[in-house]
Amino acid sequence: MQRSLSRIGLTFLSIAATALTAHASPSDRITCGITVRKNAEAACTRIIRNPTTKPADRFMAYYNRGWYYRRGGELDKSLADFNAAERVDRDFANLYLSRGMLKREQRDLQGALEDLDIYVIHQPKDWNGYFQRALVFRQMGKPDQALKPLLKAIELKPFERDLKPLYALVLLDVGRLTEAVKEAESLVASRRSDPVSFYVRAVVANQRGATQNAMADLKKALNRSSLFPAAYALRGLILDGRGEKEEAKRAYRMSLKNGGPTLDRETSQDYAQRRLNELDHRANGLKGSNSKVSRPVSKKLVKRTGRAELEVAQDCRRYIPSAAATVVVPCGS
């Protein structure tokens, strides 16, 4: 009898522990679905840990928590949850769109394309799948391949605000300068309150060598959005080319702050961080000859962009959209 009571007590304690650590209240599904809430993570976690959770609810808990982490900048945690969601259900199309966008932010461009290809198969009429593929191809330095999915996105949703700015930049990338100028002027004329319009025209002006015009448009863009990574990176590049290194460094540091328009953010921040490292290394080298660096830097002039000359370390190549240039960079950066 005593032994039976002991077993009952142990069973009760086990159930109680499960309830305390994994119980999902009726409101958890609602809270978990609103990923901007601070308590969304805890609600999703309770759903995931509850052994009685149905597969459909477990999938959505992983998916929503993945979005919660992504919004908070915890990209590795976000990817882990999206992967866990896929193991529960491989047929939810938006998972592949979400994970493809995340992988692009993480600079896993081939992985991003693979997910976006799956999404387009599932949702061939959604403009966003083609738009995201165009972004990835452009980030890869393949603007010719970006043009086709971008035109498809424009066909599906011609008045979507994100499409025309990217179209103007891709036209510039593939060498269709006259058309790019026309598109940039049209953007500014129709969207004078939009910082992206002035940024696009600044990129076009810089590529034409009109750096004063580019700087004037960048000032307008940054007046309209005090956080705009790509605009600050382009400003830094122009100042850098003029020899104004300290001002350039200030602009590069501002470009590393997230917020504002996301156009060209990843590539611009990659360039800004690398250039800051180079400038700081040079400054430290002037202070003493005992400075140590993790890898030798072989400087090489790789491309002239307007009046700005980019000197970067050699090994691999990466496209910098804001500079409309392919540059040599350290492999793995």
Side-chain angles (χ1 to χ4, degrees):
M1 181 67 178
Q2 184 65 37
R3 185 176 299 174
S4 298
L5 287 174
S6 297
R7 285 184 184 145
I8 292 171
L10 289 172
T11 302
F12 176 79
L13 288 173
S14 176
I15 294 172
T18 301
L20 286 171
T21 59
H23 178 67
S25 68
S27 64
D28 276 344
R29 289 174 63 185
I30 297 173
T31 304
C32 175
I34 307 174
T35 58
V36 295
R37 287 186 176 179
K38 291 182 179 180
N39 55 348
E41 177 190 17
C44 293
T45 300
R46 284 192 293 270
I47 293 171
I48 291 167
R49 290 180 178 175
N50 190 334
T52 65
T53 296
K54 296 178 180 179
D57 290 336
R58 192 179 305 280
F59 170 86
M60 290 310 299
Y62 275 124
Y63 178 74
N64 289 334
R65 194 174 68 173
W67 264 101
Y68 173 88
Y69 287 138
R70 186 186 170 201
R71 292 181 193 281
E74 298 183 84
L75 302 189
D76 289 340
K77 286 185 177 182
S78 177
L79 180 62
D81 271 357
F82 286 157
N83 290 342
E86 184 187 30
R87 290 193 290 271
V88 178
D89 183 356
R90 303 178 65 87
D91 296 324
F92 188 73
N94 280 351
L95 170 64
Y96 297 99
L97 176 64
S98 300
R99 193 170 66 180
M101 293 164 63
L102 172 68
K103 286 179 178 179
R104 183 175 70 81
E105 289 184 47
Q106 292 183 305
R107 285 63 164 175
D108 177 11
L109 301 183
Q110 189 57 48
L113 269 185
E114 291 169 2
D115 276 342
L116 293 170
D117 285 345
I118 295 172
Y119 179 73
V120 168
I121 291 171
H122 280 287
Q123 299 291 339
K125 299 298 183 182
D126 182 16
W127 69 274
N128 200 17
Y130 300 98
F131 171 62
Q132 295 296 330
R133 291 181 79 246
L135 288 173
V136 173
F137 277 126
R138 184 163 182 262
Q139 199 167 329
M140 283 178 160
K142 300 177 179 179
D144 290 321
Q145 291 179 252
L147 194 56
K148 183 177 179 180
L150 180 56
L151 288 173
K152 181 65 175 178
I154 293 172
E155 175 191 327
L156 290 169
K157 197 167 184 181
F159 300 108
E160 172 58 41
R161 289 185 65 84
D162 290 337
L163 297 178
K164 289 299 179 72
L166 184 62
Y167 182 55
L169 294 177
V170 172
L171 287 174
L172 182 66
D173 297 340
V174 298
R176 292 160 61 175
L177 179 60
T178 301
E179 294 171 81
V181 171
K182 182 179 178 181
E183 288 291 333
E185 293 294 346
S186 175
L187 279 171
V188 171
S190 60
R191 306 182 189 179
R192 299 199 66 84
S193 63
D194 184 5
V196 171
S197 301
F198 289 100
Y199 165 73
V200 169
R201 193 168 71 172
V203 174
V204 174
N206 183 61
Q207 178 66 2
R208 299 171 71 188
T211 55
Q212 287 188 337
N213 292 343
M215 290 292 275
D217 275 340
L218 288 173
K219 182 177 180 180
K220 292 173 183 177
L222 293 170
N223 282 341
R224 287 160 174 78
S225 177
S226 59
L227 290 177
F228 192 162
Y232 276 113
L234 181 55
R235 176 177 167 80
L237 183 148
I238 294 172
L239 291 167
D240 209 347
R242 292 177 177 176
E244 300 176 42
K245 303 303 184 184
E246 290 305 314
E247 286 297 317
K249 286 166 69 173
R250 276 190 277 273
Y252 288 145
R253 290 190 189 102
M254 287 299 298
S255 77
L256 299 179
K257 297 179 182 290
N258 287 330
T262 61
L263 183 63
D264 286 349
R265 182 181 65 188
E266 288 80 13
T267 46
S268 294
Q269 289 181 332
D270 284 350
Y271 174 75
Q273 184 61 71
R274 188 173 62 254
R275 192 69 186 121
L276 276 172
N277 292 343
E278 292 168 359
L279 291 170
D280 288 340
H281 169 59
R282 290 180 186 179
N284 291 335
L286 291 174
K287 293 176 183 178
S289 59
N290 295 325
S291 300
K292 294 182 180 180
V293 292
S294 58
R295 61 186 300 153
V297 178
S298 175
K299 300 185 180 76
K300 180 180 179 182
L301 181 63
V302 292
K303 187 150 185 173
R304 186 180 301 271
T305 305
R307 297 178 186 175
E309 296 179 347
L310 308 183
E311 287 185 346
V312 293
Q314 61 182 340
D315 279 333
C316 299
R317 300 180 70 81
R318 177 166 293 177
Y319 186 71
I320 306 298
S322 61
T326 299
V327 299
V328 178
V329 300
C331 290
S333 66

